[in-house]
């Protein structure tokens, strides 16, 4: 069965304190791995797509990496505005090819 | 703004009511999705439409009825819901094409409709 597990569930950082969020997956036929950011009361906002092991993507203070079993979202020198829930999703081969399996997310709080 | 709008943003309904959620995308995409997001649970895919044809129905109860009249609009018709159906309902869209090396486009989400069933 396809599974996506995110850890930790919640993370509290001081401003400037770098850390990483983890997304481990067990799927057959991975097409892509996606990272989203979700603020309270809003829909998920797309951040990155990774397709193959070894691939890396960067955007401002965020860097996403992918291996054959997991992905990391590295946050360098975070600011309070980085506080949000970060969601990981894997796109798997199904009948239609459209399924995104989401993890439960990591809730990040960055304090000044 | 992601280019995907949803109305209403908040909805309270009784178990015997009938209501509809509306989603509109302004991105020129040809695939649209309904997701359910409940507290402490991952997003759950409900329905997928590609080129106005339903291609995925993820074992959703018949009290939820989707409609996709064209590639820009998606509806979710609700009737005789249960309190456990209270959740955030999210619409998303993507460009449905193999693209590079058989890859599929990322999904862009609307702000959601917060549904409360009394």
């Amino acid at each position: 069965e396809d599974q996506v597990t995110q850890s930790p569930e919640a993370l509290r950082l001081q401003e400037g304190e770098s850390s990483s969020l983890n997304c481990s997956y067990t799927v057959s036929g991975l097409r892509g791995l996606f990272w989203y950011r979700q603020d309270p009361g809003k829909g998920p906002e797309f951040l990155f797509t990774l397709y193959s092991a070894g691939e890396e993507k960067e955007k401002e203070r965020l860097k996403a990496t992918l291996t054959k079993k997991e992905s990391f979202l590295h946050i360098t020198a975070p600011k309070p505005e980085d506080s949000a829930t970060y969601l990981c999703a894997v796109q798997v081969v199904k009948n239609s090819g459209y399924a995104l399996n989401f993890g439960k997310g990591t809730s990040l709080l960055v304090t000044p | 703004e992601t280019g995907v709008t949803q109305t209403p943003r908040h909805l309270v309904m009784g178990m015997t009511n009938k209501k509809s959620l509306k989603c509109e995308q302004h991105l020129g995409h040809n695939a649209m999705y309904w997701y359910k997001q409940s507290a402490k649970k991952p997003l759950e895919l409900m329905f997928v439409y590609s080129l106005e044809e339903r291609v995925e129905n993820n074992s959703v109860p018949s009290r939820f009825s989707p409609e996709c009249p064209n590639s820009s609009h998606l509806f979710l018709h609700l009737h005789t819901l249960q309190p456990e159906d209270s959740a955030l309902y999210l619409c998303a869209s993507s460009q449905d094409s193999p693209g590079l090396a058989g890859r599929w486009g990322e999904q862009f989400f609307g702000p959601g409709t917060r549904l409360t069933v009394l």
Side-chain angles (χ1 to χ4, degrees), chain A residues 31 34 36 38 41-44 46 49 51 87 91 94 96-100 102-104, chain B residues 9 33 35 37 40 42-43 48 50 55-56 58 88 90 96 103-104 106-107 109-111:
Chain A
R31 284 191 171 181
F34 299 78
Y36 286 86
Q38 187 173 24
K42 295 189 176 182
F46 170 75
T49 310
Y51 291 108
L87 301 173
Q91 193 165 43
K94 288 191 79 171
S96 64
Y98 296 87
L100 271 187
F102 279 85
K104 291 183 180 181
Chain B
R9 293 294 310 277
Y33 311 75
Y35 285 87
Q37 188 174 34
K40 306 295 184 185
L43 267 77
V48 181
S50 175
V55 295
E56 191 88 24
N58 226 20
L88 182 68
L90 292 160
D96 171 18
R103 296 167 183 173
W104 302 91
E106 56 269 6
Q107 295 178 20
F109 286 82

Side-chain angles (χ1 to χ4, degrees), chain A residues 88-99:
Chain A
C88 166
V90 294
Q91 193 165 43
V92 298
V93 176
K94 288 191 79 171
N95 294 337
S96 64
Y98 296 87

Side-chain angles (χ1 to χ4, degrees), chain B residues 20-40:
Chain B
S20 295
L21 310 184
K22 179 183 175 182
C23 175
E24 183 173 358
Q25 59 97 0
H26 309 275
L27 300 169
H29 290 164
N30 55 15
M32 297 187 77
Y33 311 75
W34 279 117
Y35 285 87
K36 176 183 178 181
Q37 188 174 34
S38 305
K40 306 295 184 185

Side-chain angles (χ1 to χ4, degrees), chain A residues 55-93:
Chain A
E55 190 174 357
E56 298 182 353
K57 294 268 179 81
E58 279 189 76
K59 180 181 178 180
E60 296 180 354
R61 295 177 293 281
L62 300 177
K63 179 180 177 180
T65 62
L66 181 65
T67 72
K68 288 187 177 179
K69 293 185 178 180
E70 59 191 349
S71 176
F72 291 94
L73 185 65
H74 307 279
I75 305 178
T76 302
K79 298 182 177 182
E81 54 261 41
D82 294 322
S83 298
T85 296
Y86 290 85
L87 301 173
C88 166
V90 294
Q91 193 165 43
V92 298
V93 176

Side-chain angles (χ1 to χ4, degrees), chain A residues 14-27:
Chain A
Q14 288 264 330
E15 184 172 2
E17 180 187 0
S18 301
S19 188
S20 296
L21 313 183
N22 177 264
C23 172
S24 62
Y25 60 91
T26 307
V27 298

